[in-house]
Amino acid sequence: AGDLGSLLLGKSKSVPPLRIPDKRAPGFKSEVIKYLYSQHPHMVTLDMADCALVDNDVPRLSDAIGTCTVLRSLSLATNSITHESMEDLTIAIEASVSLNSIDLGENALGVRGATILARNLIEKTKLMGLDLSSNLIRDEGCRAVLDALQQTPGQPIQWLSLSENCISDHSAADLASLIDTAKNLTFLDLSRNAFFSNGMRVIAEELGLNNTLQHLNLSNISLDAEAVELLGASLARNRGLISLDMYGCRIGDVGARVIGASLTQNTYLRRLDLGSNKIGSSGCSFLADGLMVNTVLHVLRLWGNTLGLACDRLLSALYTNDTLIQIDLTGCSTDVDTVAMIGALVKKNRLAENGRSSGSSEIRKLRKALAKEQLKTDLLTKKAKSYKKKHAKLLVDSEKNTFGGAQETGYDSALSMDSDGGRPKGGGGGGGDMHSIDQL
């Protein structure tokens, strides 16, 4: 183990560290390109977000990206990349054998840039993460990207962000199709888009059937009563979603009633953000009723709502609920003492949860140690049985050899007697006779 540790330590020392200058330094881009061409083993993640990249910088950078065989994660977010340089960039993305995560958020790709990217995504069989947020790709660009991701062999995409792209109900069917077919997709961000009831109906129906998507962000999408009803019904049936962001959706008390009812049936959701949703006292009461029944929700964020005296209902719910370990009531216009008591109950739940987790960890360790000891015992027992069997066989063979050798020796002695005296040759009276009898 010591030699191996020294060997590994020696290898790590032999690799020079990355010395990339600050993003705002004059030589930053050139140094990055140099390291990409050098196949530096530490060049696994490259963060070039917010470093004033323009279209003229992309061709040289793309050539280096296409040849690098160690780069896995690339961020070019918050720059000024447009559709004019996307051809070079997408060719490099397709050529890279190791790249599997790309962040192009907050650029200016537009519909044309997204369409160019989509043409090359079909052959990118290792792409697991893609961020196109805040690029104004609209429905046309969105549908092109979604179609490409569905046509990619194996559909490896795991997380996808399409936030703030002016996407509407026209893309809802394609989104529902991706949720249905992309079994590896666990994270989807659709926040700050322009979906209405028709689009949300299509997405909600698919969510009710889906059990693979784990994180969904629908924040800052104005949801009317019908859309919330559809989402609530899907949430009650869903068997996979563990995190749901719905802050800024303006669901009001009517929406809170629907969500509260869904919490009484859902057994998977661990985190729910309903901040800044115009929820009042009655809506808070509905959510409290849901918490009295729910046994799985760990985090609830209600910041920016005017809950008022209904926080007393939350307090009562927490005397029953022992799974909620974090609650955010910032800016909820509630009584300070009530908030303090809620915080104390949540802290009690959190400490109990930590105790359960550590207890489970100790139990797992103990079981593992016992399993190792049992394995050692089984091996020793097996070796002992094998040794005993082998030793018994050796004893039997030894006895057989001894008895057989004695008979053979006596028989030879009897055959070697003289014809006139009946004594063995070379014998001297009775001594020779006694010797022969002993042998027999």
Side-chain angles (χ1 to χ4, degrees):
D3 294 338
L4 179 60
S6 303
L7 180 62
L8 294 175
L9 184 61
K11 285 187 176 180
S12 63
K13 286 183 177 180
S14 65
V15 178
L18 283 171
R19 300 189 183 279
I20 300 177
D22 184 77
K23 290 182 180 181
R24 297 299 176 183
F28 170 71
K29 298 170 188 176
S30 299
E31 285 296 309
V32 167
I33 291 173
K34 182 186 76 174
Y35 277 116
L36 286 170
Y37 276 123
S38 70
Q39 308 291 338
H40 195 286
H42 293 165
M43 184 60 81
V44 177
T45 300
L46 176 57
D47 181 9
M48 297 191 73
D50 194 20
C51 65
L53 277 176
V54 295
D55 288 327
N56 290 337
D57 299 319
V58 173
R60 287 182 62 230
L61 179 62
S62 298
D63 290 340
I65 292 172
T67 60
C68 186
T69 59
V70 295
L71 184 65
R72 296 181 184 176
S73 178
L74 172 66
S75 176
L76 301 176
T78 321
N79 285 296
S80 301
I81 301 173
T82 71
H83 66 276
E84 294 184 0
S85 59
M86 281 304 294
E87 194 70 49
D88 292 319
L89 185 57
T90 53
I91 290 173
I93 291 171
E94 183 183 359
S96 174
V97 297
S98 57
L99 190 63
N100 57 34
S101 173
I102 307 163
D103 184 356
L104 291 169
E106 297 186 46
N107 279 284
L109 305 186
V111 176
R112 292 174 63 183
T115 305
I116 294 170
L117 175 64
R119 287 202 301 263
N120 292 280
L121 282 182
I122 297 175
E123 302 300 327
K124 191 63 182 174
T125 57
K126 293 184 178 181
L127 185 65
M128 295 187 293
L130 179 62
D131 189 340
L132 294 176
S133 58
S134 304
N135 269 287
L136 287 177
I137 65 174
R138 304 184 185 275
D139 287 312
E140 185 180 348
C142 176
R143 290 198 300 270
V145 171
L146 294 175
D147 185 56
L149 292 175
Q150 291 185 76
Q151 291 186 50
T152 304
Q155 295 180 339
I157 192 72
Q158 295 181 9
W159 61 268
L160 175 65
S161 177
L162 297 171
S163 173
E164 202 170 8
N165 271 303
C166 293
I167 301 170
S168 70
D169 292 354
H170 296 292
S171 300
D174 296 274
L175 284 165
S177 179
L178 181 70
I179 294 172
D180 177 40
T181 60
K183 301 305 181 183
N184 295 308
L185 184 66
T186 58
F187 177 92
L188 180 62
D189 186 354
L190 300 176
S191 62
R192 299 180 182 273
N193 281 298
F195 296 104
F196 295 99
S197 296
N198 290 335
M200 289 310 303
R201 178 184 293 106
V202 176
I203 296 173
E205 287 176 355
E206 185 54 47
L207 286 175
L209 303 172
N210 182 271
N211 59 5
T212 54
L213 190 67
Q214 297 180 5
H215 307 274
L216 177 63
N217 191 344
L218 298 175
S219 301
N220 290 298
I221 299 175
S222 295
L223 301 176
D224 58 20
E226 183 182 359
V228 179
E229 286 282 355
L230 294 167
L231 279 173
S234 297
L235 187 60
R237 302 193 310 270
N238 184 271
R239 294 294 179 269
L241 208 61
I242 61 176
S243 175
L244 177 61
D245 286 291
M246 289 181 61
Y247 59 85
C249 291
R250 304 178 184 178
I251 64 173
D253 291 336
V254 175
R257 174 185 59 79
V258 173
I259 300 299
S262 69
L263 288 178
T264 63
Q265 301 178 56
N266 183 279
T267 57
Y268 281 80
L269 194 67
R270 300 292 187 271
R271 178 184 172 278
L272 177 62
D273 192 338
L274 296 175
S276 189
N277 260 301
K278 297 187 175 181
I279 298 174
S281 297
S282 61
C284 180
S285 298
F286 290 127
L287 292 173
D289 292 342
L291 288 177
M292 287 183 181
V293 179
N294 186 278
T295 59
V296 295
L297 192 68
H298 287 175
V299 179
L300 177 62
R301 305 192 68 207
L302 296 172
W303 55 274
N305 292 295
T306 309
L307 305 182
L309 297 176
C311 272
D312 290 337
R313 292 289 296 275
L314 280 177
L315 180 60
S316 299
L318 285 171
Y319 281 114
T320 304
N321 183 295
D322 62 353
T323 57
L324 196 69
I325 60 175
Q326 183 180 338
I327 187 168
D328 187 352
L329 298 174
T330 305
C332 288
S333 304
T334 55
D335 180 67
V336 176
D337 293 335
T338 304
V339 172
M341 293 177 69
I342 290 174
L345 291 174
V346 169
K347 183 178 180 180
K348 175 181 71 68
N349 289 349
R350 186 163 56 249
L351 292 174
E353 176 66 23
N354 291 338
R356 285 192 293 268
S357 299
S358 61
S360 299
S361 177
E362 291 299 324
I363 290 172
R364 285 195 297 271
K365 288 180 181 178
L366 180 60
R367 286 176 178 172
K368 191 174 181 180
L370 289 174
K372 284 185 177 180
E373 290 299 324
Q374 185 61 44
L375 182 60
K376 288 180 181 178
T377 303
D378 292 343
L379 288 173
L380 289 173
T381 304
K382 187 177 179 181
K383 285 182 178 180
K385 288 181 178 178
S386 176
Y387 175 78
K388 186 176 180 181
K389 186 176 179 181
K390 185 176 179 181
H391 184 64
K393 186 175 182 299
L394 288 173
L395 287 174
V396 171
D397 292 343
S398 177
E399 289 176 358
K400 286 182 179 179
N401 291 336
T402 302
F403 185 69
Q407 286 183 325
E408 184 178 355
T409 306
Y411 180 69
D412 291 341
S413 301
L415 290 178
S416 60
M417 289 184 179
D418 285 341
S419 58
D420 58 343
R423 296 187 183 91
K425 291 182 179 179
D433 291 340
M434 291 302 295
H435 178 69
S436 299
I437 292 171
D438 289 340
Q439 284 184 331
L440 289 172

